[in-house]
Amino acid sequence: MKRAWFASIAVAAIALLAGVASRIDGVRPFLAFVVPYGALAILLAGLSWRVIRWSRAPVPFRIATVCGQQKSLPWIKAGWLESPSSTLGVVARMGLEVLLFRSLFRNTRARIDSGPRLIYGEAKWLWLGALAFHWSLLIVLLRHLRLVVQPVPKLSLLLERVDGFFQVGLPVLYATDIVLLAGLLYLLRRRLRDPQVRFISLFTDYFALFLLLGVALSGVWMRYFARVDVVAVKQLALSLTVFSPSLPKNLSAWFFVHLALVSTLAACLPFSKLMHMGGIFLSPTRNLANNNRMKRHVNPWNYPVKLHTYEEWEDEFRDKMKAAGLPVEKD
Ligand code: HEM
């Protein structure tokens, strides 16, 4: 519980610091230019470093941790999706994993019942909560393109229309804002309420969740309550994208809080567990076809070894083998 408190205090401190500092004229350029540029630089360098390091790790053979039948004899039915032997099968397996979290869908829960008896049961809430959170986050980010791209991409406009189909009040209420917050609160509640999950949770686990919650809450606050000047935000965002930063006057403190939290999230991402976003694509148990029986995979680390074949061995000991009455291949 202490770790959760520390993480929430750390996020609150970043938000407070940004909010207070944004009131000081001399510090605003730092918050508006240096912080986002710095975070972006750390994000790009960190992402490249992680991906390059992963891709350089040798994978000498196929690691087939699968629960499907491997392709072998024609009369044995192979699991083309569970244990794919072709690239197409791997793409399908990866696609379902990334888009629908297929392996999490099969998540089970173990508990000891009276008896004592070990019982496994369904555990679909984690899958649903995670899926709701990730999909809403993606849609929110794609909708944000209207703030940084001119002309606004059609996809962004379409998502805005679909997302706001409830047409509740003004500004229009986005369904993804509710789902994003609900998903994050569920993930946080699970981490705090489940004793086993709480036991293995580290500061960084809570920090990522509180940071995301802080970003989402400050965004929601800006849109529905504080009503920030979106034109001024877009002016700043566009100036940053063309590397000619200019600071509009009427940016509210809430925007600086949002930006500081987003920047912290971006800078921490490559060094945190949030890197699972990139790691999934480089995971050998997911991205390799299970074709061990169809193709010979030679370990690239193999160094030349001086072999002593059975024939040579028998040539050497044939007389002694015969004398001892042992069978030989060649007389
Ligand atoms: C991880 C990245 C980010 C996340 C998760 C995020 C999340 C959110 C959320 C949930 C909202 C509520 C309204 C909505 O859904 O559109 C919001 C609003 C907003 N965000 Fe972000 N945001 C992010 C990055 C940014 C960045 C980089 C900027 C600066 C250009 C920004 C500027 C804004 C503004 C101005 C609003 C208010 C929009 C309005 O009034 O319609 N956000 N954000």
Side-chain angles (χ1 to χ4, degrees), residues 137 141 143-144 146-147 177 215 219-220 222-223 258 262:
L137 184 64
L141 291 179
R143 275 201 287 96
H144 267 60
R146 83 188 155 108
L147 296 171
D177 285 352
V215 170
V220 164
M222 270 196 299
R223 179 172 169 81
H258 193 60
V262 170

Side-chain angles (χ1 to χ4, degrees), residues 137 140-141 143-144 146-148 163 171 174 176-177 180 212 215-224 227-230 233 237 255 258-259 262 265:
L137 184 64
V140 166
L141 291 179
R143 275 201 287 96
H144 267 60
R146 83 188 155 108
L147 296 171
V148 283
D163 203 355
Y174 290 135
T176 45
D177 285 352
L180 179 68
L212 282 160
V215 170
L217 282 175
S218 55
V220 164
W221 185 261
M222 270 196 299
R223 179 172 169 81
Y224 303 104
R227 305 281 174 90
V228 292
D229 184 347
V230 178
V233 171
F255 171 71
H258 193 60
L259 192 63
V262 170
L265 185 69

Side-chain angles (χ1 to χ4, degrees), residues 35-57:
V35 169
Y37 274 147
L40 188 67
I42 297 174
L43 176 73
L44 293 180
L47 282 181
S48 315
W49 168 68
R50 290 295 290 256
V51 171
I52 290 171
R53 223 171 64 123
W54 279 330
S55 54
R56 284 177 61 192

Side-chain angles (χ1 to χ4, degrees), residues 80-257:
W80 72 274
L81 192 61
E82 293 299 352
S83 184
S85 58
S86 65
T87 308
L88 194 67
V90 169
V91 171
R93 178 174 68 177
M94 186 67 99
L96 287 174
E97 188 62 41
V98 171
L99 300 175
L100 297 176
F101 302 178
R102 188 161 164 264
S103 62
L104 196 57
F105 187 72
R106 288 181 291 199
N107 181 37
T108 52
R109 194 182 170 76
R111 70 185 160 87
I112 308 263
D113 212 8
S114 56
R117 230 161 32 116
L118 180 63
I119 296 183
Y120 289 96
E122 293 271 342
K124 297 278 182 272
W125 283 109
L126 177 61
W127 170 77
L128 196 65
L131 203 66
F133 158 68
H134 283 85
W135 270 103
S136 330
L137 184 64
L138 177 68
I139 295 172
V140 166
L141 291 179
L142 289 174
R143 275 201 287 96
H144 267 60
L145 286 179
R146 83 188 155 108
L147 296 171
V148 283
V149 180
Q150 187 62 26
V152 179
K154 286 212 174 76
L155 175 68
S156 195
L157 293 173
L158 178 74
L159 285 175
E160 254 175 49
R161 239 184 306 139
V162 177
D163 203 355
F165 77 102
F166 284 132
Q167 289 274 345
V168 180
L170 263 180
V172 171
L173 177 71
Y174 290 135
T176 45
D177 285 352
I178 300 171
V179 180
L180 179 68
L181 284 175
L184 275 170
L185 288 175
Y186 164 74
L187 294 174
L188 191 62
R189 180 181 169 274
R190 168 183 168 270
R191 206 166 268 288
L192 290 170
R193 290 279 293 272
D194 189 324
Q196 281 122 330
V197 182
R198 198 169 61 223
F199 182 72
I200 56 164
S201 293
L202 303 173
F203 170 84
T204 51
D205 296 317
Y206 292 114
F207 188 63
L209 273 178
F210 279 117
L211 210 47
L212 282 160
L213 204 57
V215 170
L217 282 175
S218 55
V220 164
W221 185 261
M222 270 196 299
R223 179 172 169 81
Y224 303 104
F225 305 103
R227 305 281 174 90
V228 292
D229 184 347
V230 178
V231 177
V233 171
K234 185 152 186 169
Q235 219 175 318
L236 169 71
L238 288 179
S239 77
L240 287 175
T241 55
V242 293
F243 295 104
S244 157
S246 80
L247 189 59
K249 280 214 177 67
N250 37 349
L251 283 174
S252 92
W254 283 107
F255 171 71
F256 286 103
V257 169

